[in-house]
Amino acid sequence: MPIYEYACSDCGKEFEALVRSGTTPECPECHSQSLEKKLSVFAAAGTGGGHSHSHAGPCGSCGHPNGPGSCALN
Ligand SMILES: [Zn+2]
């Protein structure tokens, strides 16, 4: 049974949900169904679109697309 990761478009809550065919998950915080469906938790280990820490990007150290200093927030 697949587990998907969602981000609520209304409140920004991120959560994981088991999704069976015919069912629609909703945000556990605000019960909105305006959700951004992400890949499985296994494929979504990184955020920001980076596929590898070895990728040379604007940050110069981690390749974070938002520019220098963005990775320091983690
Ligand atoms: Zn929400």
Side-chain angles (χ1 to χ4, degrees):
M1 192 179 302
I3 300 176
Y4 292 105
E5 184 172 334
Y6 290 88
C8 178
S9 298
D10 286 348
C11 73
K13 172 73 174 182
E14 295 186 357
F15 61 98
E16 299 167 6
L18 286 171
V19 181
R20 288 178 290 184
S21 59
T23 65
T24 302
E26 65 177 24
C27 175
E29 288 293 317
C30 68
H31 302 287
S32 170
Q33 293 185 345
S34 298
L35 307 175
E36 177 182 345
K37 184 178 180 181
K38 299 184 177 184
L39 298 177
S40 74
V41 292
F42 302 104
T47 58
H51 293 289
S52 172
H53 286 287
S54 64
H55 175 69
C59 181
S61 60
C62 73
H64 197 290
N66 288 346
S70 295
C71 63
L73 298 176
N74 294 326

